[in-house]
Amino acid sequence: MTLAMTTSARELLRRAYEQMVLIRAFETEAERQYKADLIGGYCHLSSGQEAAIVGAMDALGDDDLLVTGYRCHGFALARGVSPEAVMAELFGRRHGCAHGRGGSMHLLDVERGFFGGWGIVAGQLPVAVGLALALVRQGKPQAVLCELGDGAVNMGAWHESLNLAALWSLPVVFLVVNNEYGMGTSVERASAEPELYKRACAFGMHGERVDGDDYDAVAESAGRLLRRARDKREPAVLEAMTYRYRGHSVADAGLSYRTKDEIEAWKGKDPIALTRGRLIEQGVSEQELAGLERDVDERVEAAVAYATADEAPRVEELAAGVYAPGSAEQFERMRPGSPFGELDLVFNSGLGR
């Protein structure tokens, strides 16, 4: 890397910084709204993992496909889903990106190639493999990025999915965001091989590890592996080493299995602070960055106002899309076992929509 950035490289890094700040501010506000009981269900934050998220998303082509686990707010934002649509979905509102039906763990925006956050650990991996197979069979040149956490590599779906991806030469990159803990268990206690990228070799697949707090490193590695997936149909595993500052979910204080000293040590290499420092070194002023940060705070505040004012989904629309058109006969026998309102909600209103 040269000592001085080009103007275009500096602007790219500035945009990446803005995305990282947006994700951090959004997650902080989401935690506040969850604790105020305005967000229901579960809520998993990615504070501290912003460089891994934004670096990978900046490497993803506009027509590439994305599938993630349930810690997905940041991926949705970095993929271009508006803060208003994401916050409204967390609030369970009609104009959320999943129309209020998905919530925090099930964000999606198919128009942007984002086929969802998935709430079942490793449940997204077979979906990603299926999407990659569809691309091959349709002769399309895109690739699939499948994000997962370190805890998912010990699930059966991991082995099955990597085996098929390698066997069928599918254009999919498995991004393992290793934030050191699967729920409350450290990687070292849960995995016989804690260097998770090495597991790729069991399937004859390329694997590598990158500093997930270094935006440039993530963007370079993810970009290179996605190009190989598109051009040569070679799957790969990319392990991004990072850390989450919050607990596993908002309901987890995150202090029963790790120390405050450990958390503070990781904050010493905060990806946002590191990126901010690089921008200042390259001539971006403190004043400009402070203005950017204020703008982000205003955007998040506006997202909360939008979500608060938005309406709840209509009850008669909640089951829309549950069953495909033409499947009425298949589910006819289920009607008699629906005595608690499901008959009207699911079958009479939702079937076939």
Side-chain angles (χ1 to χ4, degrees):
M1 185 190 303
T2 59
L3 292 178
M5 285 185 178
T6 63
T7 302
S8 59
R10 185 168 58 247
E11 181 57 29
L12 179 63
L13 187 64
R14 184 191 177 281
R15 289 198 300 270
Y17 178 74
E18 183 175 9
Q19 284 290 322
M20 291 163 66
V21 172
L22 173 62
I23 293 169
R24 178 72 60 85
F26 187 96
E27 297 291 57
T28 300
E29 187 60 37
E31 180 176 22
R32 184 179 297 116
Q33 297 299 323
Y34 185 89
K35 290 179 177 178
D37 202 26
L38 293 172
I39 295 174
Y42 294 94
C43 188
H44 303 82
L45 307 178
S46 56
S47 304
Q49 302 178 190
E50 294 86 2
I53 295 169
V54 178
M57 289 299 92
D58 282 357
L60 202 65
D62 290 342
D63 58 353
D64 286 334
L65 308 181
L66 171 67
V67 188
T68 75
Y70 47 75
R71 200 179 301 276
C72 56
H73 307 164
F75 284 95
L77 293 168
R79 189 58 174 166
V81 185
S82 72
E84 288 82 1
V86 178
M87 190 66 77
E89 188 58 40
L90 268 59
F91 275 54
R93 303 302 196 196
R94 190 180 183 198
H95 293 97
C97 57
H99 306 295
R101 302 184 189 126
S104 170
M105 295 195 292
H106 306 105
L107 304 175
L108 83 160
D109 191 326
V110 175
E111 291 184 359
R112 289 179 169 81
F114 179 27
F115 284 82
W118 291 75
I120 296 175
V121 176
Q124 72 274 29
L125 275 77
V127 175
V129 170
L131 289 169
L133 177 61
L135 292 176
V136 170
R137 296 191 66 175
Q138 294 169 19
K140 294 181 177 179
Q142 297 105 295
V144 179
L145 182 70
C146 178
E147 182 271 342
L148 59 144
D150 49 85
V153 303
N154 292 323
M155 304 296 288
W158 159 269
H159 303 282
E160 296 167 358
S161 298
L162 267 68
N163 183 62
L164 286 180
L167 189 65
W168 294 342
S169 300
L170 300 180
V172 54
V173 175
F174 299 96
L175 172 66
V176 182
V177 179
N178 185 344
N179 59 25
E180 300 285 324
Y181 294 94
M183 293 190 73
T185 304
S186 67
V187 172
E188 286 73 15
R189 293 186 62 190
S191 296
E193 175 48 81
E195 295 184 75
L196 304 179
Y197 75 97
K198 292 182 177 179
R199 296 188 180 201
C201 69
F203 305 95
M205 188 185 298
H206 174 78
E208 62 184 76
R209 175 181 275 190
V210 67
D211 181 355
D213 292 333
D214 184 331
Y215 163 81
D216 284 336
V218 176
E220 188 281 325
S221 295
R224 173 167 38 81
L225 296 182
L226 284 165
R227 284 193 297 273
R228 283 177 41 174
R230 296 186 204 101
D231 298 342
K232 301 180 180 180
R233 291 182 179 171
E234 292 183 6
V237 171
L238 176 60
E239 180 185 12
M241 301 300 297
T242 183
Y243 197 78
R244 55 172 167 80
Y245 298 151
R246 302 302 191 195
H248 174 72
S249 70
V250 177
D252 168 29
L255 295 173
S256 62
Y257 49 86
R258 56 185 186 172
T259 65
K260 290 182 179 180
D261 288 343
E262 177 184 311
I263 297 170
E264 289 304 313
W266 273 95
K267 286 183 177 180
K269 54 175 295 190
D270 186 321
I272 292 180
L274 293 175
T275 306
R276 196 179 198 279
R278 286 188 59 204
L279 285 168
I280 290 173
E281 288 175 0
Q282 295 300 324
V284 180
S285 69
E286 285 274 6
Q287 183 178 5
E288 180 180 349
L289 293 176
L292 178 154
E293 291 152 7
R294 285 193 300 272
D295 290 344
V296 164
D297 288 339
E298 291 174 2
R299 290 177 65 190
V300 173
E301 184 178 344
V304 172
Y306 177 88
T308 302
D310 196 12
E311 60 185 320
R314 295 172 184 168
V315 173
E316 62 270 20
E317 295 179 346
L318 287 176
V322 172
Y323 300 119
S327 60
E329 182 178 352
Q330 177 183 356
F331 294 99
E332 183 67 30
R333 65 183 184 275
M334 296 173 61
R335 290 175 178 265
S338 306
F340 298 108
E342 302 96 320
L343 188 65
D344 289 333
L345 175 61
V346 178
F347 293 103
N348 295 344
S349 296
L351 187 60
R353 285 189 171 184

